[in-house]
Amino acid sequence: MIDKPIETVRILVVEDQIDIAQFIEKALQHAGWQVTVSHSMTQAQIELKRQTTQTMVLDLGLPDGDGLDLIANIRTWSQTPIIVLSARDQESDKIKALDAGADDYLTKPFSINELLARVRTQLRRWAQIDKGDDAPVVQFGSVVLDRQQQRITRDGAVVHLTQIEYQLLCHLVAHAGQVLTHQQLLKYIWGQSYAENAHYLRIYMSHLRKKLERNPTQPEHFLTETGVGYRFVLE
Ligand code: CA
């Protein structure tokens, strides 16, 4: 077995408000991560190219431009997870950020513990992207999904899913921890022309919850992001 040195985990915080930037920097450092702070879009782009970054925390309102443009730019060359911090609590802004390629968002004011939890989730995702890890067997709650056998069991008993339910489940699992917008999911399952039919998703999501959640009315894995989309949570 090859023993690899422990890699430094670096998080880039892009926030122009100095006090908020410092507050986040301290909390992330306290959690054991290396932190780089940028106060502008230009600076953030330089930092991202200069050193490996495992997760980025990005404020949308920056002095030299809109964070949405930065997300779109970064996504043309990097898969680094992006958590958006936004003072805008409009659903349309969250959707724009996610559609541009952000992985998650928090609305200001946010709790620092919530931010730490979201960062941990993205770091786990990054570790998987990095390893090219796409293990065929995934477990959540009492459900086991075997993507090689295309087989799902719950408490050991086989669960039958329709093709669309299965496709949706696999897509959500592949993006665990990430918020996927209605549009992104609809386009993936049914194609561009169905992008406005959010009610299709509600139906299939309720099927998945009934079949796979312990309590479908209080889902632990298939979570609704009101007005935005869905988030699948593994643990
Ligand atoms: Ca700002």
Side-chain angles (χ1 to χ4, degrees), residues 20 24 35 39 45 54 83 85 114-115 119 147-148 163 166 187 191-192 209 219 227:
I20 298 180
I24 296 172
V35 184
H39 300 298
Q45 264 167 321
Q54 279 82 359
I83 302 170
L85 291 183
E114 189 58 37
L115 176 64
V119 168
R147 285 178 281 188
Q148 206 152 28
Q163 217 169 1
Y166 182 74
K187 267 196 226 167
Q192 179 69 42
R209 283 176 179 149

Side-chain angles (χ1 to χ4, degrees), residues 60 68 71 75 82-84 91-106 122 177-184 225 227-231:
L60 286 185
L68 288 175
I71 299 171
R75 278 295 170 261
I82 301 173
I83 302 170
V84 164
E91 277 156 10
S92 62
D93 287 319
K94 295 174 189 167
I95 293 169
K96 272 185 214 151
L98 294 165
D99 280 341
D103 299 281
D104 201 352
Y105 62 82
L106 279 175
Q122 295 307 327
Q178 203 179 334
V179 180
L180 297 171
T181 65
H182 294 133
Q183 272 220 20
Q184 287 171 333
E225 293 286 322
V228 176
Y230 295 94
R231 178 206 303 271

Side-chain angles (χ1 to χ4, degrees), residues 14-17 20 39 59-63 85 87 108:
V14 188
E15 166 66 78
D16 60 321
Q17 231 174 300
I20 298 180
H39 300 298
D59 171 42
L60 286 185
L62 293 165
L85 291 183
K108 291 177 180 173

Side-chain angles (χ1 to χ4, degrees), residues 44-134:
Q45 264 167 321
I46 293 168
E47 286 304 333
L48 270 178
K49 287 181 177 156
R50 199 169 65 85
Q51 52 193 355
T52 310
T53 299
Q54 279 82 359
T55 288
M56 182 172 165
V57 177
L58 171 68
D59 171 42
L60 286 185
L62 293 165
D64 56 346
D66 193 320
L68 288 175
D69 298 329
L70 181 62
I71 299 171
N73 175 294
I74 290 169
R75 278 295 170 261
T76 63
W77 58 275
S78 165
Q79 285 306 306
T80 302
I82 301 173
I83 302 170
V84 164
L85 291 183
S86 175
R88 316 168 181 179
D89 62 356
Q90 293 285 326
E91 277 156 10
S92 62
D93 287 319
K94 295 174 189 167
I95 293 169
K96 272 185 214 151
L98 294 165
D99 280 341
D103 299 281
D104 201 352
Y105 62 82
L106 279 175
T107 306
K108 291 177 180 173
F110 55 88
S111 97
I112 202 73
N113 285 333
E114 189 58 37
L115 176 64
L116 292 176
R118 303 289 179 93
V119 168
R120 280 190 202 100
T121 302
Q122 295 307 327
L123 288 175
R124 270 197 298 274
R125 278 195 56 231
W126 175 253
Q128 278 168 347
I129 295 171
D130 212 24
K131 271 193 298 181
D133 185 6
D134 203 15

